[in-house]
């Protein structure tokens, strides 16, 4: 990914924050073993304590919880709102459960601004599980939370610790056997080798200098993504650096995704320039080039004991790759090139999963068009990756709809191959950042460490909610690209700056940011 400055398109509204725990009174004696009135349809409008549910507020503000018209699936929903600051919990205690793993599913909306707004599963015999409510003032978003029941009981709760006028809507809750979670909590760290070579330093949160790979691993990262260029002007992001970084990644116990751009520089929807060495090759020769280059890098990784776990054949290939021969205007030829990459990856290791990667997870129509063509032309792949930047690619609800539809329509696992969010707006070098004004932000997600953390967690939550367990996880882009002289965006210009340092996971003081906590997402 590297995009020029863009015009902001869709905005979300303010974020639910915090994790304040509200104490509960003793559970009622007549608890059921199945969730009652999960759609809040039993009582109509204006009921403070819906049938089957209880309300609690340490400060006596139970009236901040009520039912009203305008449901997700039916006619009514649960709302938390008050004209003054409030803390309220709406909960239902279940007993007589068969021990095992259960999943709570709910449709939610939130205007944001709360100190805390979340769903929780507690008193279940295992650790409490929570999911914050993402911000969406108009569209409903589905969230899931799973827990292991070991005591035959569980409390399902909807929580708000809110300021005056803050609101949430919750509807269509279900609680059934099943588990959720994401297996990929990753980051692209392609910038790291050049950064270190140019004097870049990485520190723990307390300020101790250390190895960035280890710092990220200790924060919970379990998957690293590295891009590969063919013959870049600066000599970085080549096989040499990938091999060296792969040793460190695997030694840290993490998995490896290799992202082939098939270019000497950035490949994305706006440019897919052939490597200079391949510029005059025929289509037939280009297929051989793709196979040979892919095989060469992956086989070298295997030979040193660091076999790639996943491979991207192309980067943000909405318009194809290796233009013009591999343009989507000639999908049959694009299919041949993609299959060359697939075949090379599988020839090295049949266990390596091959991903195809598009930009703009908010555009379901384009993703459908592209993968329908891939099906028509017999393109081989195992996994689908989508870039999703909320300040460019639309709402969380739109991204969720695309991820859900893509996983269902093509029967493949999906993941967010790239996302990021700024923790501040000013620059740490002379180059203006790509996102540098409040008007460019996703509304409700401030350019703070807290806002960055919430964004990453909310993106992970919509991936976790992909039905059928097909949501693999998320990669943060580009976690280690701090402002280091000589490590700018243009490999052909040593003086070019970095427009992305405010979206890294290390601060301007080189310390690990608290937003790395998102790696611990369920």
């Amino acid at each position: 990914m590297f995009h020029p400055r863009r015009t902001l398109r869709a905005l979300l509204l303010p974020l639910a924050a915090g994790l304040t725990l509200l104490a509960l009174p003793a559970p009622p004696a007549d608890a059921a073993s199945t969730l009652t009135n999960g759609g809040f349809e039993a009582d109509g409008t204006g009921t403070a304590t819906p049938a089957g549910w209880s309300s609690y507020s340490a400060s006596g503000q139970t009236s901040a919880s009520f039912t009203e018209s305008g449901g997700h699936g039916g006619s009514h929903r649960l709302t938390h709102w008050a004209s003054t600051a409030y803390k309220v919990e709406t909960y239902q205690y279940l007993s007589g459960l068969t021990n095992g793993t259960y999943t709570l599913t709910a449709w939610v909306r939130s205007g944001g601004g709360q100190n805390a707004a979340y769903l929780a599963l507690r008193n279940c015999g295992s650790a409490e599980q929570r999911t914050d409510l993402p911000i969406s003032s108009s569209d409903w978003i589905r969230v899931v939370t799973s827990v292991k029941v070991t005591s035959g009981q569980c409390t399902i709760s909807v929580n708000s610790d809110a300021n005056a006028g803050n609101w949430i809507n919750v509807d269509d809750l279900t609680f059934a056997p099943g588990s959720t979670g994401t297996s990929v909590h990753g980051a692209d760290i392609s910038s790291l080798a050049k950064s270190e070579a140019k004097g870049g330093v990485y520190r723990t949160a307390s300020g101790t200098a250390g190895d960035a790979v280890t710092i990220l691993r200790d924060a919970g990262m379990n998957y690293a993504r590295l891009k590969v260029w063919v013959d870049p002007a600066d000599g970085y992001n080549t096989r040499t650096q990938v091999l060296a970084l792969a040793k460190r990644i695997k030694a840290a116990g993490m998995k490896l995704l290799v992202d082939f751009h098939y270019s000497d520089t950035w490949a994305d929807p706006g440019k897919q320039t052939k490597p200079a060495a391949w510029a005059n090759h025929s289509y037939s020769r280009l297929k051989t080039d793709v196979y040979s280059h892919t095989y060469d890098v992956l086989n070298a990784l295997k030979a040193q004991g660091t076999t790639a776990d996943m491979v991207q054949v192309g980067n943000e290939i909405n318009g194809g790759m290796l233009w013009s021969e591999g343009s989507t205007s000639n999908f049959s030829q694009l299919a041949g090139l993609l299959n060359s990459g697939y075949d090379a990856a599988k020839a090295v290791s049949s266990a390596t999963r091959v991903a195809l990667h598009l930009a703009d997870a908010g555009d379901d129509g384009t993703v459908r068009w592209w993968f329908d063509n891939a099906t028509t032309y017999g393109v081989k792949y195992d996994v689908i990756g989508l870039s999703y930047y909320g300040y460019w690619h639309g709402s969380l609800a739109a991204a969720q709809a695309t991820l859900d539809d893509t996983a269902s329509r093509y029967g493949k696992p999906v993941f967010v191959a790239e996302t990021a969010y700024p923790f501040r707006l000013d620059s740490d070098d002379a180059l203006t950042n790509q996102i540098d004004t409040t008007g460019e932000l996703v509304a409700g997600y401030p350019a703070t460490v807290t806002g960055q953390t919430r964004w990453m967690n909310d993106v992970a939550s919509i991936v976790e909610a992909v039905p059928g367990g097909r949501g693999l996880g998320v990669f943060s882009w580009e976690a280690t690209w701090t402002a280091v002289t000589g490590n700018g965006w243009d490999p052909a210009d040593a003086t070019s700056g970095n427009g992305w340092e405010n979206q890294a996971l290390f601060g301007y003081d080189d310390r690990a940011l608290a937003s790395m906590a998102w790696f611990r997402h369920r």
Side-chain angles (χ1 to χ4, degrees):
M1 175 273 175
F2 185 82
H3 299 293
R5 180 176 298 277
R6 300 183 179 185
T7 301
L8 181 66
R9 295 198 289 142
L11 294 177
L12 302 177
L13 287 176
L15 170 70
L19 293 173
T20 303
L21 176 63
L22 305 180
L24 285 176
D30 57 350
S33 60
T34 56
L35 184 67
T36 301
N37 193 24
F40 303 100
E41 298 297 322
D43 309 286
T45 295
T47 302
T49 305
W53 295 86
S54 300
S55 298
Y56 175 72
S57 173
S59 54
Q61 297 163 292
T62 54
S63 62
S65 170
F66 55 92
T67 57
E68 62 179 344
S69 61
H72 166 259
S75 300
H76 296 86
R77 68 199 182 205
L78 175 72
T79 292
H80 285 180
W81 176 87
S83 59
T84 59
Y86 64 94
K87 293 183 181 181
V88 71
E89 180 162 13
T90 309
Y91 69 96
Q92 188 168 150
Y93 170 72
L94 303 180
S95 65
L97 295 169
T98 300
N99 287 341
T101 302
Y102 289 78
T103 294
L104 173 70
T105 302
W107 288 88
V108 302
R109 298 190 298 197
S110 172
Q114 301 90 344
N115 300 314
Y118 60 94
L119 307 180
L121 297 173
R122 57 171 64 116
N123 307 322
C124 309
S126 61
E128 178 179 321
Q129 298 295 316
R130 296 181 179 182
T131 294
D132 290 340
L133 271 63
I135 301 313
S136 178
S137 64
S138 57
D139 298 316
W140 292 90
I141 294 175
R142 186 182 65 259
V143 294
V144 296
T145 310
S146 63
V147 71
K148 187 175 183 180
V149 173
T150 62
S151 57
Q153 63 184 9
C154 196
T155 298
I156 297 166
S157 62
V158 181
N159 303 265
S160 291
D161 176 358
N163 301 300
N166 295 160
W167 62 269
I168 64 170
N169 297 149
V170 180
D171 202 6
D172 293 339
L173 291 92
T174 61
F175 187 69
S179 62
T180 69
T182 48
S183 59
V184 175
H185 306 145
D188 193 306
I189 57 172
S190 299
S191 62
L192 182 58
K194 188 174 181 181
S195 175
E196 291 174 334
K198 301 296 182 181
V201 176
Y202 298 88
R203 302 182 184 277
T204 64
S206 62
T208 303
D211 174 28
V213 173
T214 303
I215 293 169
L216 289 161
R217 187 275 313 277
D218 290 348
M221 177 171 148
N222 65 7
Y223 225 121
R225 179 180 186 251
L226 300 176
K227 69 173 173 278
V228 187
W229 289 338
V230 177
D231 187 20
D234 61 359
Y236 286 92
N237 296 298
T238 66
R239 187 182 87 155
T240 299
Q241 287 84 33
V242 169
L243 289 170
L245 271 175
K247 287 183 178 180
R248 295 165 60 184
I249 290 162
K250 292 285 189 170
M254 293 191 282
K255 292 186 176 181
L256 173 65
L257 166 58
V258 179
D259 172 18
F260 286 93
H261 283 227
Y262 302 110
S263 182
D264 293 335
T265 188
W266 305 97
D268 58 45
K271 51 186 177 300
Q272 295 282 335
T273 306
K274 283 180 285 191
W278 306 358
N280 297 318
H281 290 182
S282 66
Y283 168 67
S284 177
R285 177 69 183 277
L286 287 172
K287 287 196 293 183
T288 301
D289 292 333
V290 168
Y291 186 99
S292 299
H293 173 61
T294 306
Y295 185 93
D296 177 59
V297 173
L298 297 179
N299 194 51
L301 285 166
K302 180 181 179 180
Q304 70 172 17
T306 59
T307 301
D309 300 282
M310 196 186 307
V311 170
Q312 278 181 221
V313 178
N315 187 77
E316 294 188 330
I317 53 175
N318 300 54
M321 66 183 196
L322 294 168
W323 288 347
S324 60
E325 286 81 357
S327 167
T328 51
S329 63
N330 191 339
F331 221 103
S332 63
Q333 289 196 172
L334 173 59
L337 294 169
L338 295 172
N339 285 341
S340 286
Y342 178 95
D343 291 342
K346 294 296 185 177
V348 173
S349 170
S350 60
T352 296
R353 292 197 283 188
V354 176
L356 298 180
H357 171 212
L358 302 188
D360 200 349
D363 185 356
D364 188 42
T366 293
V367 175
R368 268 195 175 207
W369 173 86
W370 201 99
F371 280 98
D372 281 355
N373 273 287
T375 300
T376 298
Y377 289 101
V379 177
K380 296 178 283 189
Y381 63 98
D382 306 314
V383 186
I384 294 171
L386 301 175
S387 293
Y388 175 51
Y389 297 96
Y391 38 70
W392 290 328
H393 297 154
S395 70
L396 282 161
Q400 178 167 74
T402 302
L403 289 163
D404 290 354
D405 181 50
T406 301
S408 173
R409 188 174 180 86
Y410 306 106
K412 303 287 187 181
V414 295
F415 67 101
V416 171
E418 298 180 16
T419 191
Y421 204 76
F423 61 88
R424 58 194 294 171
L425 293 173
D426 60 316
S427 298
D428 196 26
D429 65 9
L431 183 66
T432 300
N433 290 328
Q434 290 200 36
I435 303 299
D436 71 322
T437 66
T438 56
E440 293 172 300
L441 297 174
V442 178
Y445 295 81
T448 62
V449 173
T450 297
Q452 185 184 52
T453 308
R454 292 169 181 168
W455 177 259
M456 294 302 303
N457 271 317
D458 288 348
V459 172
S461 289
I462 68 169
V463 177
E464 182 186 14
V466 172
R470 289 194 174 116
L472 293 181
V474 177
F475 286 91
S476 171
W477 197 93
E478 227 262 20
T480 57
W481 201 8
T482 54
V484 175
T485 301
N487 191 21
W489 70 270
D490 186 353
D493 181 2
T495 67
S496 64
N498 176 5
W500 203 260
E501 74 271 14
N502 65 329
Q503 301 196 61
L505 296 183
F506 290 86
Y508 289 5
D509 58 1
D510 300 323
R511 296 188 183 201
L513 296 173
S515 46
M516 287 188 189
W518 90 264
F519 288 126
R520 301 289 183 186
H521 193 281
R522 183 179 45 251

